[in-house]
């Protein structure tokens, strides 16, 4: 048998699990405290729903679950292919299941519905630090309201959770896809070229202006359009320059107000700025998009946006919706790297006893647990010194030998 | 798209999620308090490991994940079947992943290793109340010790968690597979008939003595052997009658002592009794087996046993191991049915404001959160009465209209 976990997944040791549980609790309690309500949806989803979800590149990274029994036999006999052999899949994010959930349960929910999801998703990506094939996402969403205050609330609540986790300084980048598209239209990009041009622009930070230019030429965008685009994008790309380039608009007013409000609530504990080139991969975003950039670590540690069309795919009726997702694995990797120490955790004490004293020792342990300590029972070892060293290494705070003492003896901390 | 969740899985509304989170916290804190350490393992596992794990009937209920890309194309071209098309599976329990984890990480763990797992597993069973295809199990295991005190500790710790969840009275049924096999041998059952006879005996409660007799006859067990078996099993099946039937043994001494110790620690808060017919399905159990029987509800709400051989399949070395698993979904169904009210939860207050007051209202909400309340922000509705009724229905405790009051107004409780 294979002792290593499946590629892109991980086993977590007790100390790592303590940190992961602590992180989840901080995030969950911050979100609950802000009046959001947690729901749970299944990890396995109808393949049909996933396939129709506008998930962009994620659809190519899906884990698909094989049909079973007779259905599988029939599919194989009919010359099965990738699509006919499977009928379920592991979800690639929490947004599609939320949309399905909302469509099924709308009558039982508050309106607007302010929702928490903290759970696993799966993508068969190339694994790298902080990017797993099995990963936890922490999402808040507001469904049923098109007010720009939703964006404000999501951004500030998410930032509050990150501050409580002490991940260091970070900036929220904010854009509106419609704003970017207005600019592109003003440069002469045709409607049917919008998506492909956006995909190239999204790579600006990675491949630079020349790389983007080459890609756009490869996509047969007219030379004068490319030139106008590059003039705009090589400029300062501020809200003011966008305004002077393609005029004032409701989107521009909203985003200006949003950034001002975010900064007011942030009181300097995090940053917020406009980023015209922020696109985000998912096809389902329709308006505002945002992303969290750590100022010490490369890459995004969270993101989200408005997806007013997705729920309508289930209900037939347009329901405004906006969500923000924290990249849990990325933040876990950052905190681990920092050697982050969890504030004020439970003390851990070992009670050592002989086999024939065990029942009495268990009764003593129950008494000691009353004050909130974690009390583990161990048979008295032959080599006491070695055993105690091991306990200390494993994070125990002290020990008590049954029959010899009534109070735990604490290890001297080496740090 | 389909709005209902996949068969055998469920969406959980906010109130249900609160209960599930509460249950998990109570169980986790009880286990941590008893000195156990939580680990996490992936939900997806090498199919090869799952197939070789002696999982009994569970192997027929597996969800298998299809190969991807070129591997899949090759498997289809080679006339793919159920086994060649998949290379991963969703785990059917937490014991096999734990064995793999222990084999991979042994050097970094305490010895004995006292371990908590609370996580999802998957079985494509026929769904029924409290039995889901996607379900949570809550396990504690002790690896690296063959002392019967492990059984005592697991049973008492599990029972403590159940008592904290107030699930009503319950009894722990205890057996040792070796004891049952000694009895069967004394009746003349051959070694190679043991497993199939055990499978029939496991159905005693469902199909009765006559049903078991008919099954054994169908399996061509000799008539005199069947007669001896039925004489034994129609008797009182106490430890004493087993002792007089096939003599004293170490297993008998251990189990007698175990039951006595459990009863001593239980102090009447739960029951413990010997059950010679308790078998448990998994093939990997080698010694003691146990099961929790609620006295109000049919069926088992948890179980476990000793599996000294499983870890050796990874390490090549025999590591003693024993575990106890709570059936989370069954207990969730029981508490829901009882209309269980979570003790002392966070208060939930809505702050209502006009759109143009939102930033000020958010600042007020942050202040109100300091005392631990959950404070949700809502735009002031046109129909205030209807909106307030809705909030109360959804479990809010009160509300505050921004600019009109500084303290929340609490709803009068109708219960």
């Amino acid at each position: 048998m294979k002792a290593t976990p499946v590629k892109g997944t991980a086993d977590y040791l007790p100390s790592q699990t303590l940190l992961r549980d602590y992180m989840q609790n901080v995030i969950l309690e911050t979100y609950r405290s802000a009046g959001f309500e947690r729901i749970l949806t299944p990890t396995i989803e109808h393949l049909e729903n996933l396939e129709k979800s506008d998930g962009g590149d994620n659809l190519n990274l899906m884990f698909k679950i094989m049909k079973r029994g007779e259905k599988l036999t029939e599919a194989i006999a009919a010359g099965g292919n990738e699509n006919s052999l499977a009928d379920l899949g592991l979800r690639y994010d929490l947004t599609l299941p939320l949309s399905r959930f909302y469509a099924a349960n709308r009558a039982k929910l508050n309106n607007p519905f302010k929702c928490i999801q903290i759970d696993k998703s799966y993508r068969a990506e190339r694994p790298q630090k902080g990017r797993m094939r099995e990963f936890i996402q922490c999402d808040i969403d507001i469904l049923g309201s098109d007010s720009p205050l939703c964006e404000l609330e999501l951004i500030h609540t998410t930032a509050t959770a990150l501050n409580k986790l002490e991940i260091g300084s970070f900036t929220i980048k904010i854009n509106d896809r419609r704003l970017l598209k207005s600019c592109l239209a003003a440069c002469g990009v045709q409607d049917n070229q919008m998506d492909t041009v956006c995909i190239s622009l999204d790579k600006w930070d990675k491949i630079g202006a020349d790389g983007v230019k080459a890609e756009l030429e490869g996509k047969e965008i007219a030379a004068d359009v490319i030139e106008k685009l590059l003039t705009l994008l090589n400029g300062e790309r501020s809200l003011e320059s966008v305004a002077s380039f393609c005029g004032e608009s409701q989107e521009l007013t909203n985003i200006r107000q949003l950034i001002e409000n975010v900064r007011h609530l942030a009181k300097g504990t995090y940053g917020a700025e406009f980023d015209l080139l922020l696109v985000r991969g998912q096809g389902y975003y329709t308006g505002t998009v945002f992303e969290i950039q750590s100022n010490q670590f490369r890459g995004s540690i969270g993101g989200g946006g408005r997806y007013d069309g997705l729920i309508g795919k289930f209900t037939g009726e347009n329901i405004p919706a906006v969500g923000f997702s924290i990249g849990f694995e990325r933040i876990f990797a950052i905190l681990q790297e920092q050697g982050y120490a969890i504030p004020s955790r439970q003390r851990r004490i070992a009670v050592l006893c002989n086999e024939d004293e065990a029942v009495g020792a268990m009764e003593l342990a129950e008494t000691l647990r009353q004050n909130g300590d974690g009390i583990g029972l161990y048979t008295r070892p032959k080599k006491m010194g070695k055993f105690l060293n091991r306990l200390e290494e494993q994070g125990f705070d002290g020990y008590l030998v049954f029959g010899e003492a009534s109070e735990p003896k604490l290890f001297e901390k080496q740090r």
Side-chain angles (χ1 to χ4, degrees), chain A:
Chain A
M1 294 209 201
K2 290 182 193 165
T4 49
V6 168
K7 180 181 173 185
T9 71
D11 292 328
Y12 296 101
L13 291 166
S15 58
Q16 296 175 307
T17 305
L18 271 176
L19 178 56
R20 291 174 73 85
D21 282 349
Y22 170 78
M23 288 172 58
Q24 281 192 44
N25 273 334
V26 167
I27 295 167
L28 179 57
E29 290 317 312
T30 306
Y31 289 174
R32 282 214 164 117
S33 162
F36 287 72
E37 309 183 275
R38 187 179 190 185
I39 62 157
L40 297 165
T41 59
T43 308
I44 50 185
E45 185 55 73
H46 304 288
L47 191 53
E48 180 188 340
N49 286 352
L50 295 166
E51 297 279 12
K52 289 186 194 159
S53 62
D54 274 347
D57 199 34
N58 293 329
L59 299 187
N60 304 321
L61 303 172
M62 263 200 288
F63 287 103
K64 298 179 182 175
I65 299 173
M66 253 187 352
K67 289 180 178 171
R68 303 169 29 79
E70 226 165 86
K71 279 189 192 170
L72 179 63
T73 316
E74 280 168 22
I76 292 175
N81 59 38
E82 194 182 335
N83 293 318
S84 69
L85 291 167
D87 53 2
L88 302 172
L90 298 181
R91 61 180 170 204
Y92 63 81
D93 75 359
L94 302 173
T95 307
L96 186 267
L98 170 61
S99 302
R100 188 191 51 64
F101 175 95
Y102 188 78
N105 296 292
R106 189 178 167 188
K108 299 172 196 150
L109 304 172
N110 276 319
N111 185 26
F113 180 47
K114 301 188 174 187
C115 167
I116 308 167
Q117 290 188 95
I118 300 180
D119 221 330
K120 285 180 182 171
S121 295
Y122 296 81
R123 293 178 199 166
E125 287 188 287
R126 184 188 299 272
Q128 45 180 289
K129 196 171 68 179
R131 190 179 291 271
M132 310 290 295
R133 291 186 161 196
E134 175 179 74
F135 58 96
I136 286 180
Q137 279 185 314
C138 305
D139 288 16
I140 37 179
D141 293 82
I142 302 181
L143 310 185
S145 165
D146 57 9
S147 163
L149 294 172
C150 299
E151 275 85 341
L152 176 60
E153 207 179 342
L154 291 179
I155 289 171
H156 186 60
T157 305
T158 301
T160 302
L162 294 178
N163 277 331
K164 287 194 183 159
L165 288 174
E166 305 177 88
I167 62 148
S169 70
F170 58 90
T171 301
I172 314 283
K173 310 257 185 179
I174 304 174
N175 191 20
D176 188 315
R177 281 200 176 174
R178 290 165 297 186
L179 214 49
L180 177 59
K181 288 189 178 173
S182 303
C183 289
L184 300 189
C187 291
V189 175
Q190 303 297 310
D191 273 0
N192 61 0
Q193 301 170 324
M194 285 289 176
D195 289 338
T196 186
V197 170
C198 282
I199 288 170
S200 297
L201 295 184
D202 199 25
K203 301 180 189 165
W204 186 274
D205 284 344
K206 277 189 204 152
I207 63 178
D210 290 346
V212 169
K213 187 180 175 199
E215 267 208 32
L216 293 177
E217 285 167 352
K219 289 176 175 174
E220 301 188 354
I221 307 295
D224 64 319
V225 172
I226 296 181
E227 207 190 306
K228 279 186 200 159
L229 266 176
L230 291 177
T231 308
L232 170 69
L233 298 177
N234 277 320
E236 60 169 11
R237 303 200 299 263
S238 65
L239 281 166
E240 293 67 33
S241 61
V242 171
S244 66
F245 189 79
C246 53
E248 280 294 335
S249 63
Q250 187 62 48
E251 288 84 43
L252 208 51
T253 308
N254 285 349
I255 216 163
R256 194 181 282 124
Q257 185 67 51
L258 175 60
I259 290 174
E260 188 183 305
N261 285 340
V262 169
R263 287 180 179 159
H264 177 81
L265 290 177
K267 297 186 173 55
T269 62
Y270 61 95
E273 60 188 41
F274 175 63
D275 179 356
L276 179 63
L277 281 179
L278 181 67
V279 177
R280 306 277 306 155
Q282 276 84 341
Y284 52 63
Y285 288 129
T286 51
T288 339
V289 285
F290 20 83
E291 199 164 274
I292 315 167
Q293 189 82 52
S294 158
N295 298 341
Q296 290 101 57
F297 301 89
R298 287 169 57 93
S300 149
I301 54 175
R306 197 165 262 290
Y307 52 100
D308 285 347
L310 191 52
I311 299 171
K313 293 197 173 196
F314 290 99
T315 57
E317 184 192 347
N318 231 20
I319 306 284
V322 55
F324 205 156
S325 177
I326 290 181
F328 183 87
E329 303 303 339
R330 184 99 186 112
I331 292 167
F332 174 69
I334 291 173
L335 291 183
Q336 260 211 320
E337 205 161 277
Q338 289 177 350
Y340 186 75
I342 298 170
S344 73
R345 61 166 185 77
Q346 189 182 42
R347 282 205 313 184
R348 289 174 63 209
I349 309 289
V351 169
L352 312 180
C353 67
N354 297 321
E355 286 262 325
D356 59 358
E357 303 165 329
V359 177
M362 282 189 199
E363 289 181 302
L364 173 67
E366 286 209 339
T367 314
L368 294 172
R369 273 170 207 141
Q370 305 297 324
N371 69 1
D373 290 343
I375 310 288
L377 202 72
Y378 290 89
T379 308
R380 210 167 155 160
K382 282 181 198 135
K383 296 182 180 170
M384 189 65 124
K386 199 178 157 194
F387 189 84
L388 294 181
N389 285 340
R390 182 72 173 226
L391 282 180
E392 198 172 351
E393 269 170 40
Q394 299 297 329
F396 275 77
D397 297 277
Y399 70 99
L400 182 156
V401 180
F402 182 69
E404 291 184 6
S406 60
E407 286 293 317
K409 182 169 165 55
L410 298 185
F411 297 124
E412 285 176 33
K413 296 289 166 199
Q414 274 130 6
R415 296 174 281 173

